[in-house]
Amino acid sequence: MTNEEASETLITRNPSLTDQVTAHLKERILGDGFEDGRIPSETDLAADLGVSRTTIRDALSRLEHEGAIVRRQGAGTFVNRPGLQIKSRLEEIWSYEEVLRDHGYLPSVDVLGHEETVADARLAADLGIDEGDAVIVVEKLFRENDTPVVLTVNQIPAGYVAGGDVDPAQPVYALLEAGGERRLAYYVSEIVPLALDGDVAFKLGVAAGTAAISFEEIGYDADNEPVVAATSYFRDDLLRLRLIRRKAAL
Amino acid sequence: MTNEEASETLITRNPSLTDQVTAHLKERILGDGFEDGRIPSETDLAADLGVSRTTIRDALSRLEHEGAIVRRQGAGTFVNRPGLQIKSRLEEIWSYEEVLRDHGYLPSVDVLGHEETVADARLAADLGIDEGDAVIVVEKLFRENDTPVVLTVNQIPAGYVAGGDVDPAQPVYALLEAGGERRLAYYVSEIVPLALDGDVAFKLGVAAGTAAISFEEIGYDADNEPVVAATSYFRDDLLRLRLIRRKAAL
DNA sequence: AAGTGGTCTAGACCACTAT
DNA sequence: TAGTGGTCTAGACCACTTC
């Protein structure tokens, strides 16, 4: 009996060496395991951890990209204190619950709306479907304690989500995976400033006309086919969006 | 006399193989050199271009990160049409003139202000200097034709920039390099929505109270020392900020 | 089963920084 | 000059998709 474990779990990955090294180094960085902010040389790390320098470099590249470290040719690799301030990198937001948790909040989700409508011309064009096709609209409010922080409106072609028994409170990517039709690969997002109108302002618990940021975005699957159109509104006084800007490509 | 050429030029780089491969592939992608959107296998590319697969993979990783291509394990690598829409990646903005050029504009720069003041408590803390230390403030307006698009205010400790003969119209990183003291390595930026006040609104040519996006950011050198504090305001109707959001780390 | 991208190795040489 | 990160090679095996 060649008993294969981990049978039913949806998660297939056994962490790659690079993943493990990344996690290990991140732990040491956050735990102040490197006294003066200097990280050992790549050669030393490779020897210590028993992997090749390539693996070490892959891990360091990730940490550099996250802003956790800075590398300087000829000099060494160093912990990057300002970079560590950044809790959620804008380009990697995938679930607002996680974002709020990263900010130290205890998030909760309220489904404000969950209905089926038909696509208008603009939405049909965005999603590559026909005008009048059925679309599921899910409106969710993310709070920390009782304070609203993020409001999202997702519009998904009805055929991509499973029947009525799914929980609309789960993240969109999970909703789509449950549907089995399409899998979310990436978003193209526009950052749009606006003065909140009465309805959205009320739901977010701020005065109408308050300046705020919204994301207008389209999510695509790996085949570059659009699968979801979304708009998100943020309470910027509670959730500051941060990012690192660098000159060079990685 | 071992005459070393390229003596006076500031640019040291002879493009790396990866750079060249990246440029080559990008050209073919934009020029529709790949008929059905399918890019040859990494092994084939390596053989065709006469470099190792590692070099090819480095180049493809960059293009993937820019959103120009999508890679799918087991299937292949493909041109990413939606990703090609993105002209300037938010995380790599380094000069607004370049950003505007990428959007197809012909930019011009106006220096609205260029003066020396003293740091208040907050600025001193941000820049790691003492309250009352001298600070150069440069306010610039970027236009396309005569239409204002971006307004920036940069605050730099006076010691980091050269004497009075420098041209404040050049990008901040160039200003600092000319000063010779500090070199800009990266920014940590906050995206802040706001209703434009009368002064800024007037300079940008919009009505006071218009909702807009601003960046509040601090630039650091490679030693993680702050070297510049900046605020930028955008005409979002003329310059949409876009980014790609992905789940996984690279 | 064949072909693709994903991971990993071991080693080489170069460019740059420190001392 | 010694040590560091940056680039590049050639090859191996694995996980996954496609046919």
Side-chain angles (χ1 to χ4, degrees):
Chain A
M1 219 187 315
T2 67
N3 67 343
E4 300 285 347
E5 277 312 294
S7 44
E8 309 305 85
T9 64
L10 292 179
I11 301 167
T12 313
R13 303 196 330 137
N14 84 322
S16 70
L17 267 185
T18 301
D19 287 339
Q20 296 176 51
V21 170
T22 307
H24 170 81
L25 291 175
K26 198 163 189 175
E27 220 169 282
R28 282 176 71 181
I29 288 169
L30 293 174
D32 247 341
F34 303 107
E35 306 195 2
D36 50 356
R38 186 189 184 91
I39 291 169
S41 77
E42 300 178 348
T43 316
D44 286 354
L45 284 174
D48 289 352
L49 300 178
V51 298
S52 77
R53 194 184 148 206
T54 305
T55 303
I56 297 291
R57 278 187 63 77
D58 282 348
L60 289 177
S61 291
R62 292 194 197 173
L63 294 171
E64 181 184 29
H65 212 89
E66 288 180 22
I69 62 171
V70 171
R71 299 205 269 197
R72 279 189 285 155
Q73 181 176 163
T77 303
F78 307 86
V79 174
N80 181 5
R81 297 280 159 218
L84 292 177
Q85 303 164 357
I86 300 199
K87 289 306 178 192
S88 340
R89 299 181 59 234
L90 200 54
E91 321 90 88
E92 284 182 9
I93 292 177
W94 208 245
S95 145
Y96 289 113
E97 282 190 82
E98 272 176 39
V99 172
L100 293 176
R101 254 195 297 276
D102 286 346
H103 274 74
Y105 298 147
L106 283 171
S108 64
V109 190
D110 259 8
V111 178
L112 299 187
H114 180 211
E115 48 172 17
E116 187 169 321
T117 60
V118 295
D120 62 18
R122 182 169 188 280
L123 182 60
D126 283 347
L127 290 177
I129 58 178
D130 292 323
E131 200 173 338
D133 282 1
V135 172
I136 304 287
V137 180
V138 181
E139 186 173 346
K140 285 188 285 192
L141 183 66
F142 297 83
R143 310 172 196 259
E144 72 94 7
N145 292 338
D146 285 331
T147 310
V149 181
V150 183
L151 177 70
T152 66
V153 180
N154 286 282
Q155 300 170 299
I156 313 169
Y160 300 169
V161 291
D165 57 343
V166 295
D167 176 14
Q170 61 188 322
V172 173
Y173 69 87
L175 212 65
L176 282 162
E177 283 181 21
E181 279 297 316
R182 307 284 192 134
R183 176 183 289 259
L184 203 47
Y186 63 95
Y187 285 99
V188 174
S189 302
E190 278 191 11
I191 301 177
V192 182
L194 78 175
L196 294 178
D197 68 35
D199 178 49
V200 174
F202 175 74
K203 286 167 179 164
L204 282 177
V206 298
T210 301
I213 288 171
S214 66
F215 281 174
E216 282 181 11
E217 47 197 5
I218 297 179
Y220 296 86
D221 66 10
D223 294 322
N224 299 328
E225 301 292 339
V227 295
V228 55
T231 308
S232 307
Y233 305 89
F234 301 87
R235 276 282 297 265
D236 94 294
D237 53 336
L238 299 176
L239 183 64
R240 275 300 169 90
L241 300 172
R242 285 200 185 85
L243 74 159
I244 295 180
R245 290 168 43 205
R246 258 193 225 86
K247 182 165 197 175
L250 166 61
Chain B
M1 216 186 322
T2 65
N3 67 343
E4 300 285 347
E5 278 311 294
S7 44
E8 310 305 85
T9 65
L10 292 179
I11 301 166
T12 314
R13 305 197 330 136
N14 83 323
S16 69
L17 268 185
T18 302
D19 286 340
Q20 297 176 51
V21 171
T22 307
H24 170 82
L25 292 175
K26 199 163 189 176
E27 219 170 281
R28 283 176 72 182
I29 289 169
L30 294 174
D32 247 341
F34 302 108
E35 306 194 1
D36 49 356
R38 186 188 185 92
I39 290 169
S41 77
E42 299 178 349
T43 316
D44 286 354
L45 284 174
D48 289 353
L49 300 179
V51 299
S52 77
R53 195 183 148 207
T54 305
T55 303
I56 296 292
R57 280 187 60 76
D58 283 348
L60 290 176
S61 292
R62 292 194 198 171
L63 294 171
E64 180 184 30
H65 213 88
E66 287 180 22
I69 62 171
V70 171
R71 299 205 270 196
R72 279 189 284 154
Q73 181 175 166
T77 303
F78 307 86
V79 175
N80 182 6
R81 298 280 158 218
L84 292 177
Q85 302 164 1
I86 300 198
K87 290 304 178 193
S88 342
R89 300 180 57 235
L90 201 52
E91 320 91 88
E92 285 183 11
I93 291 177
W94 209 244
S95 146
Y96 290 113
E97 282 189 81
E98 271 176 38
V99 172
L100 293 176
R101 255 194 297 277
D102 286 346
H103 275 73
Y105 298 147
L106 283 171
S108 64
V109 191
D110 259 7
V111 178
L112 299 188
H114 181 211
E115 48 172 18
E116 186 169 322
T117 60
V118 295
D120 62 18
R122 182 168 189 280
L123 183 59
D126 282 349
L127 290 178
I129 58 179
D130 291 324
E131 200 172 338
D133 282 1
V135 173
I136 305 286
V137 180
V138 181
E139 185 173 349
K140 286 187 287 191
L141 183 65
F142 298 82
R143 310 173 196 257
E144 70 96 6
N145 292 336
D146 285 331
T147 310
V149 181
V150 183
L151 177 71
T152 67
V153 180
N154 286 283
Q155 300 169 300
I156 314 171
Y160 299 169
V161 291
D165 58 342
V166 296
D167 176 14
Q170 60 188 323
V172 173
Y173 70 87
L175 211 64
L176 283 161
E177 285 181 20
E181 279 298 315
R182 308 284 192 135
R183 176 183 289 260
L184 203 47
Y186 63 94
Y187 285 100
V188 174
S189 304
E190 279 193 7
I191 301 176
V192 182
L194 78 174
L196 294 178
D197 68 35
D199 179 49
V200 175
F202 175 74
K203 287 167 178 164
L204 282 177
V206 298
T210 301
I213 288 170
S214 66
F215 281 176
E216 282 181 10
E217 47 197 6
I218 297 179
Y220 297 86
D221 67 9
D223 293 321
N224 299 329
E225 302 292 339
V227 294
V228 55
T231 309
S232 308
Y233 305 89
F234 302 87
R235 276 282 297 267
D236 94 292
D237 53 337
L238 299 175
L239 183 64
R240 275 298 169 90
L241 300 172
R242 286 200 184 85
L243 73 157
I244 293 179
R245 289 168 45 205
R246 258 192 226 84
K247 183 164 198 176
L250 168 57

